[in-house]
Amino acid sequence: MFLTREDGMILGPVCWLLGKIFNWIYMFVGFIGSHMGFTYVNLSVCVILFTFVLRGALFPLYFKQQRSSKIMSFIQPEIAKATKKYKGKTDQDSMMKQQQETQKIQKKYGVSMASGCLTSLIQLPIFYGLYRVIQNIPAYVPSMTTKYEEIVGILKNANSDYINMITNVANESKVSTVTMAVKQLGDEPTKNQIIDVLDKLSTSDWDKLISAFNLSNDATLTSYVDQFHNMNQFLFGLNIADAPGWKLSIALVVPIVSALMQFLQTKISMKSSQNSNMDSNQQTANNMMKGMMYYMPIMSLIFCITLPIAIGLYWIVGSVIMIISQLIVDAYYNHQDKDELLAKCAEKAAKKQAKKKNPDKKSFYERMMDAQNGNVPTENSQSENINKMASSRLKSYVNPAHSVNVDSDDVTRRENVNYKPGSIGAKANIMLKYQNNSNDKGGNK
């Protein structure tokens, strides 16, 4: 963890690439700063630029997601008109047909309920890697790593029991990431693990550490600590390496602003996708968005209070960028002719469908819904039986052990299905036979 970098098959390469990008930004800011008379690189500026670069790179994915959401809202009247005849009907047959009508219209315009989810899933590793890089900047900036290695050398030379002394100071820290880093030390911590702890120390923690080692007169150590303090400086004298904590201070402005930005972002996004003619699926999604409108700000507030200010800064800048992006997307589509736009979408979807080798092949979302409804392709007799059983049980489930109106032929057909030994279907069939035998004996076991 931390300087002991992420080595997963997916997140490892993502963190490595994002770390390289952050280091380039760090060197760029350092180059500009050196020509302006600065002897250090302000990390808050790097975090802001880093967030802009990453959000800009992800904008095409975000635009595609918002475009799909907009088209979905535009076709809601057509969906509502097609599914009006099923309104108020809760039987499985009607619900299946309503879903099929909805899927047909969505396919006509080249959109689906799953498109936004897939886009979000693609972004998840990137956002997690981004969080890891911001949380562990020295791990990805070689010049900072070198300075921390020198500090470890100074502390080691000052006292052979330097690890326990660092641990004692860290255990008294009120910063959650410090205590998290301490837990990674173990019996024989590596230099990187020690640097992880030092990097998370707040300004007051550093004062305690220097005092414990009696190194207030060490010019190199105090110089590096001052550099780190200046590098981490933000507005109002805040240190982005510090966590606001649960005490009343100016630092609480960051988590409060972060929560407000999250609330505003979710509210604008929800307003953008709302439509008066929403079907049941859209209404469910809208209700989830309403829940997130309150859940996300609360989560952001708690995280930004306990984590370093750098994380809160990233969330604030990210939310501002997303709000601006949403407004741009809304402004673009609000000035488009809906009928003309939908006609182009239908034409594009038709061309895309015509290019497919198998035009009748269903999407993953459609196959998933078919499987849920028991509509499995009937390639053999077993598939046919599965379809009949799934359809029958979805429409109205009847327990053979407690019913006198069971079709014996239907039960026999279910029992004669050949399932793979050990499968869920095989086990369910055993239970079915057992319930049948019990029922034949009057329900007595």
Side-chain angles (χ1 to χ4, degrees):
M1 193 173 182
F2 301 127
L3 276 177
T4 309
R5 297 186 185 183
E6 185 77 48
D7 57 358
M9 292 183 63
I10 297 176
L11 290 177
V14 171
C15 290
W16 177 85
L17 177 60
L18 296 179
K20 288 290 185 183
I21 295 173
F22 190 92
N23 189 43
W24 293 333
I25 293 173
Y26 178 90
M27 291 188 293
F28 172 75
V29 173
F31 175 78
I32 300 297
S34 63
H35 286 76
M36 298 175 65
F38 290 97
T39 57
Y40 59 88
V41 178
N42 191 288
L43 293 180
S44 60
V45 175
C46 294
V47 170
I48 293 172
L49 290 177
F50 187 54
T51 310
F52 268 98
V53 170
L54 264 295
R55 294 285 184 171
L58 291 172
F59 183 77
L61 282 177
Y62 175 76
F63 183 83
K64 184 178 180 181
Q65 180 182 352
Q66 292 305 311
R67 175 187 176 278
S68 179
S69 179
K70 274 290 183 184
I71 300 300
M72 287 286 287
S73 66
F74 289 162
I75 65 175
Q76 282 308 308
E78 187 173 340
I79 292 176
K81 185 178 179 181
T83 59
K84 187 178 180 180
K85 53 191 171 184
Y86 305 109
K87 188 175 181 180
K89 295 182 180 180
T90 56
D91 60 286
Q92 191 64 32
D93 243 358
S94 298
M95 292 176 69
M96 287 171 60
K97 289 176 181 178
Q98 184 177 355
Q99 284 183 345
Q100 289 169 357
E101 292 276 5
T102 303
Q103 290 174 14
K104 185 178 178 181
I105 296 172
Q106 290 174 354
K107 193 172 185 179
K108 174 184 174 183
Y109 295 103
V111 294
S112 72
M113 291 290 291
S115 59
C117 298
L118 292 174
T119 304
S120 298
L121 287 174
I122 293 171
Q123 297 180 45
L124 277 179
I126 298 174
F127 286 144
Y128 183 78
L130 179 63
Y131 169 81
R132 286 295 303 274
V133 171
I134 291 177
Q135 189 183 30
N136 312 296
I137 292 174
Y140 301 95
V141 179
S143 61
M144 288 185 67
T145 304
T146 302
K147 291 176 182 178
Y148 272 114
E149 287 175 345
E150 289 186 42
I151 290 176
V152 172
I154 293 171
L155 298 178
K156 185 176 181 180
N157 293 331
N159 195 311
S160 59
D161 196 31
Y162 73 104
I163 294 177
N164 286 331
M165 294 178 70
I166 293 172
T167 303
N168 291 335
V169 172
N171 284 331
E172 295 176 2
S173 177
K174 295 180 180 180
V175 181
S176 60
T177 48
V178 175
T179 55
M180 189 189 304
V182 170
K183 291 178 181 178
Q184 307 295 321
L185 290 180
D187 296 330
E188 295 181 4
T190 64
K191 185 182 292 183
N192 281 347
Q193 290 173 326
I194 296 170
I195 293 175
D196 289 336
V197 177
L198 296 177
D199 178 54
K200 302 298 176 293
L201 296 179
S202 65
T203 306
S204 59
D205 293 335
W206 271 112
D207 292 339
K208 292 178 183 178
L209 189 66
I210 292 173
S211 176
F213 279 88
N214 196 22
L215 291 172
S216 56
N217 294 324
D218 189 296
T220 304
L221 177 61
T222 53
S223 173
Y224 283 159
V225 172
D226 287 341
Q227 280 187 43
F228 292 144
H229 180 74
N230 290 327
M231 289 170 71
N232 291 324
Q233 282 294 298
F234 188 51
L235 299 175
F236 311 117
L238 298 177
N239 188 320
I240 64 171
D242 295 346
W246 299 96
K247 58 184 182 296
L248 187 62
S249 66
I250 189 67
L252 288 175
V253 169
V254 174
I256 291 172
V257 172
S258 177
L260 290 174
M261 289 295 102
Q262 284 285 328
F263 177 81
L264 187 60
Q265 177 189 335
T266 311
K267 189 174 180 64
I268 291 175
S269 179
M270 187 175 69
K271 184 179 178 181
S272 173
S273 60
Q274 275 184 340
N275 190 288
S276 57
N277 295 306
M278 292 187 293
D279 65 3
S280 58
N281 290 331
Q282 285 290 313
Q283 287 174 351
T284 302
N286 193 53
N287 290 333
M288 290 177 62
M289 285 287 287
K290 284 181 179 178
M292 289 179 64
M293 189 168 66
Y294 299 102
Y295 168 74
M296 288 297 292
I298 293 173
M299 185 181 70
S300 175
L301 180 69
I302 295 172
F303 282 3
C304 291
I305 286 176
T306 56
L307 296 176
I309 291 174
I311 303 299
L313 180 60
Y314 154 67
W315 274 12
I316 291 171
V317 177
S319 293
V320 170
I321 294 172
M322 293 296 281
I323 290 170
I324 294 173
S325 301
Q326 182 70 66
L327 294 175
I328 291 173
V329 171
D330 289 345
Y332 174 78
Y333 280 107
N334 288 340
H335 288 83
Q336 296 286 317
D337 183 274
K338 290 183 182 181
D339 294 332
E340 184 179 343
L341 179 64
L342 291 177
K344 288 181 180 178
C345 290
E347 183 180 353
K348 185 177 178 181
K351 288 180 179 178
K352 187 176 180 180
Q353 194 71 13
K355 289 180 181 179
K356 288 184 178 180
K357 293 181 179 179
N358 184 5
D360 296 326
K361 185 178 179 181
K362 295 186 177 182
S363 66
F364 172 77
Y365 177 73
E366 290 173 326
R367 294 198 303 272
M368 183 177 67
M369 295 305 298
D370 285 345
Q372 178 182 329
N373 296 327
N375 191 19
V376 182
T378 56
E379 297 174 357
N380 51 48
S381 59
Q382 182 171 339
S383 295
E384 291 177 4
N385 284 322
I386 292 173
N387 281 331
K388 291 177 182 177
M389 290 172 62
S391 178
S392 174
R393 293 182 184 184
L394 282 170
K395 290 177 182 176
S396 110
Y397 176 77
V398 179
N399 189 340
H402 299 89
S403 176
V404 295
N405 296 318
V406 181
D407 185 349
S408 58
D409 292 337
D410 181 53
V411 172
T412 303
R413 283 196 301 270
R414 298 181 193 184
E415 292 177 347
N416 290 334
V417 177
N418 295 320
Y419 295 101
K420 184 179 178 181
S423 67
I424 294 175
K427 293 176 182 177
N429 218 18
I430 292 171
M431 289 300 299
L432 183 63
K433 291 177 181 178
Y434 174 74
Q435 289 174 333
N436 258 348
N437 292 333
S438 298
N439 193 41
D440 291 340
K441 296 176 183 179
N444 298 318
K445 296 181 181 180

